[in-house]
Amino acid sequence: MTVATASTTLLLPSPPAHRPFHQLDRRYGRRRAALQCRAGWQEGSESSDWRHRTAAAAAAALLTVQGLALPAASFAAASPVPLVAADLQQQQAAALGQQTPDTLALPPLPSSFPPLAPLALPKYKQLTLSNGLRVFLLEDHELPVVRGSILMRGGQRASPDEKVGLATLSAAVQRSGGSLQHPGQQLDDELEERAASIEGGAGPEAFGFGFQCLTEDTPDVMQLFAEVVREPALPQDKLELARQQVLSALEHRNDNPSAIPGREVAKLIYGKGSVFARDPTPEQIQSITVEDMRQFLQRWERPDSAVLGIVGDFQPAQMQRLVEECFGSWAPPPGQPSPPPLPNPPLADQGPISGRIFLVDVPGAQQAAVAAGEPGIRLMDRDEYSLQVLDRLFNGFGGRLFNQIRSREGLAYSVSGGWTATPIDHPGLFIATAETAQPAALLAAVRGALDDAVAEPPSAAELQRAKQESVESFVFNFASRPAQLYRALTFDLLGIPQDYLFRYKSGIEHVTAADVQAAAQRRLHPSQQTIVVAGDAARLRPELERLGLPIEDLPLS
């Protein structure tokens, strides 16, 4: 369970990925290569010529940083065969008039490190526009780059029951179709010309869109970004393309049996059709129209339920004016004075599924995929710190599940168990998963480990290791200023205090062994957990019957 960062990694769409860029001329190829070298962008496959020119310019930029002021042309005209380390060393030495050794000597690893700077919340500027849009501005002049993200409540949770998948399709077509002013390919061309990107999609709890560009292109790219958010074109051909992609994914969702148990145990616990665990049907996807998407986006994508964050190389006063220019006239839909509430159905009755095994038949499967689960906690529950420590006790090298089930008994190569991320207003899940050839023995071993956590507090050594791992990983929450700002947006959107991370760290530090046991007694009920096993039913059923638990067949829709 990673409660401190769960809301930014699971509840909302991830920070936008970057699209591949194609057919750029030499001028823009060099410009983009320089940006790649500074900002660490990752690209997909492109033409051989583009790769060679990019590598040449990036190598020249790298050598310039190292004090070897070699012109880019000397690399651009070089052989397209990639340079190996020794070749690069010879190039460097030749530039300095030095002799090169036959072998490449590496410097020794450092033995001491400077202390970390004090950890603190980023000093961002916060303002609210007259239309209700909340804005966070965070300066970062290390690179000539500006990044922005906007988050809006809704997402997949808001899709109506009769059209599950509407949020996913709408967000996909919103981006791929471009805006009314710059539809489809025209938007892509404008972005490629500036080596910029605009991406986005629908997550479980929200819509998220983001952009990235060079500082000098910020006004143009932000205007394009605002057009996509406010005035999407939603063309029919892009809907058909997105529809086929979703239908293909649905057709192949059971190809990998290991993905089945975790998905199905969530459906059983939350309830059939729950917004927290449902899947669309092909019929629902086929029924979605452009007008459905337009009405859905107008209802949910609105300034008074959104938060915008911008981080990078800018001056706050200028950026504030640009934000006002791009988003100040954005208005909620007519006739809807306040943001709509998100659906929040209660948990299903656990009685009919408690302590039962549901068997999914995968004929011929050599391994069985297993998941056991029960209702978990809400975000900011009183037990979250203790359960985070218990999560660490269970998992990873040295964890109880790893030591007992993999190392000692050899029942599974990979096994894990812990509390999933959760909406702030609804319980999450505890789920233990594994793949094994001996599901009955594995389930008995998992239950034994969970029973032990309920019966006895952890040892002093275990507690220290688990707490130390949690606290030492805390620093990675501050590794990137864009990630820090994105987390601030997420917290603001969900109503989580901005100092939550520091409360979390303090809470972990104060957890005792007795706290861990008490939380386990309140939150873990191994004998009542719902179990899903996916494998060859004819072979597995006799083995599972030895556990003495009721077994039901679970057909997949």
Side-chain angles (χ1 to χ4, degrees):
M1 177 179 61
T2 53
V3 176
T5 56
S7 55
T8 58
T9 57
L10 295 176
L11 298 184
L12 299 170
S14 300
H18 306 299
R19 299 166 65 89
F21 292 81
H22 305 277
Q23 301 176 350
L24 300 184
D25 62 16
R26 183 174 298 274
R27 172 190 170 197
Y28 290 111
R30 289 180 176 173
R31 182 181 184 193
R32 176 157 175 75
L35 182 58
Q36 280 184 301
C37 185
R38 292 193 299 265
W41 285 12
Q42 297 179 347
E43 288 298 311
S45 60
E46 302 189 7
S47 70
S48 175
D49 179 64
W50 164 241
R51 284 200 304 271
H52 295 154
R53 287 190 281 112
T54 299
L62 175 61
L63 295 179
T64 301
V65 170
Q66 294 176 336
L68 307 177
L70 302 182
S74 66
F75 283 87
S79 167
V81 178
L83 292 175
V84 298
D87 296 330
L88 185 58
Q89 185 193 28
Q90 291 174 357
Q91 292 275 8
Q92 296 173 343
L96 296 175
Q98 298 176 346
Q99 298 296 320
T100 59
D102 293 335
T103 59
L104 182 63
L106 297 176
L109 293 174
S111 58
S112 61
F113 303 91
L116 290 174
L119 299 179
L121 293 174
K123 295 181 179 179
Y124 46 75
K125 180 177 181 180
Q126 187 174 0
L127 58 128
T128 302
L129 304 189
S130 59
N131 57 11
L133 177 64
R134 305 185 300 281
V135 181
F136 290 75
L137 304 178
L138 178 60
E139 291 182 77
D140 183 1
H141 300 287
E142 183 178 1
L143 301 170
V145 175
V146 174
R147 301 175 178 90
S149 296
I150 189 167
L151 301 178
M152 299 164 282
R153 290 307 302 266
Q156 294 158 0
R157 183 173 166 183
S159 292
D161 289 337
E162 68 277 10
K163 291 184 182 291
V164 179
L166 178 56
T168 298
L169 280 177
S170 298
V173 178
Q174 184 172 5
R175 169 56 189 92
S176 64
S179 66
L180 295 176
Q181 299 91 328
H182 296 87
Q185 188 60 50
Q186 187 177 347
L187 174 65
D188 292 341
D189 292 342
E190 292 284 344
L191 293 172
E192 289 177 359
E193 183 177 329
R194 296 167 175 82
S197 66
I198 294 176
E199 292 302 329
E205 291 284 308
F207 297 97
F209 289 87
F211 72 87
Q212 178 167 296
C213 64
L214 290 171
T215 300
E216 64 197 72
D217 296 321
T218 302
D220 292 339
V221 175
M222 268 197 65
Q223 183 59 52
L224 295 171
F225 178 65
E227 290 176 8
V228 170
V229 173
R230 297 178 54 182
E231 300 175 337
L234 305 178
Q236 182 68 37
D237 63 327
K238 297 298 184 182
L239 168 59
E240 295 304 327
L241 177 60
R243 192 198 313 275
Q244 292 306 312
Q245 292 172 334
V246 174
L247 290 173
S248 177
L250 290 175
E251 182 180 356
H252 295 284
R253 63 180 170 173
N254 296 326
D255 289 357
N256 181 7
S258 64
I260 295 173
R263 183 187 72 214
E264 295 302 319
V265 82
K267 291 181 182 179
L268 290 167
I269 294 171
Y270 280 126
K272 184 178 181 180
S274 169
V275 297
F276 300 106
R278 61 190 178 177
D279 283 332
T281 66
E283 293 74 20
Q284 289 173 328
I285 296 300
Q286 290 283 13
S287 72
I288 292 173
T289 67
V290 167
E291 186 57 28
D292 291 333
M293 295 191 301
R294 195 176 311 281
Q295 293 181 8
F296 183 73
L297 294 178
Q298 287 177 349
R299 175 178 174 83
W300 288 101
E301 292 190 356
R302 46 187 292 160
D304 50 351
S305 63
V307 56
L308 170 68
I310 300 173
V311 57
D313 182 31
F314 60 79
Q315 297 302 320
Q318 296 176 354
M319 182 56 69
Q320 183 173 343
R321 288 194 294 269
L322 184 57
V323 169
E324 289 276 5
E325 178 183 331
C326 293
F327 291 96
S329 60
W330 187 19
Q336 191 172 312
S338 60
L342 284 168
N344 191 15
L347 282 172
D349 179 12
Q350 303 298 298
I353 63 172
S354 177
R356 307 179 78 85
I357 296 175
F358 294 83
L359 183 56
V360 178
D361 188 20
V362 184
Q366 298 301 305
Q367 293 251 49
V370 177
E374 63 177 295
I377 63 171
R378 298 186 184 192
L379 197 65
M380 297 192 293
D381 186 277
R382 66 168 179 159
D383 285 329
E384 67 175 341
Y385 308 133
S386 300
L387 294 180
Q388 166 66 15
V389 173
L390 184 56
D391 191 293
R392 295 277 184 174
L393 288 172
F394 284 150
N395 297 297
F397 290 97
R400 291 183 179 183
L401 294 178
F402 184 95
N403 287 347
Q404 179 69 24
I405 295 172
R406 172 175 162 164
S407 300
R408 295 177 190 169
E409 302 187 32
L411 295 172
Y413 179 79
S414 175
V415 58
S416 64
W419 285 264
T420 64
T422 170
I424 196 170
D425 57 351
H426 200 81
L429 301 176
F430 171 87
I431 297 184
T433 62
E435 290 185 74
T436 180
Q438 305 175 64
L442 181 136
L443 287 168
V446 169
R447 175 173 292 190
L450 301 185
D451 283 336
D452 289 344
V454 173
E456 297 288 340
S459 68
E462 283 184 308
L463 182 67
Q464 181 181 5
R465 178 186 68 83
K467 291 174 62 173
Q468 186 174 359
E469 287 180 359
S470 295
V471 171
E472 288 182 352
S473 66
F474 179 75
V475 67
F476 295 105
N477 290 297
F478 299 85
S480 161
R481 291 181 76 80
Q484 291 179 57
L485 184 65
Y486 192 84
R487 184 173 56 246
L489 301 185
T490 304
F491 286 2
D492 185 85
L493 190 75
L494 298 180
I496 300 171
Q498 289 295 334
D499 65 347
Y500 172 70
L501 279 180
F502 293 94
R503 300 186 191 185
Y504 178 81
K505 177 175 179 291
S506 176
I508 294 292
E509 292 171 335
H510 288 87
V511 168
T512 67
D515 294 334
V516 174
Q517 183 187 11
Q521 290 173 342
R522 284 190 290 267
R523 302 298 183 179
L524 276 179
H525 311 90
S527 65
Q528 301 174 31
Q529 289 179 353
T530 301
I531 300 167
V532 175
V533 179
D536 190 316
R539 182 176 63 85
L540 295 178
R541 189 181 299 275
E543 176 186 347
L544 293 172
E545 286 175 346
R546 294 199 296 268
L547 293 173
L549 300 175
I551 300 176
E552 294 184 22
D553 291 325
L554 181 63
L556 297 178
S557 56

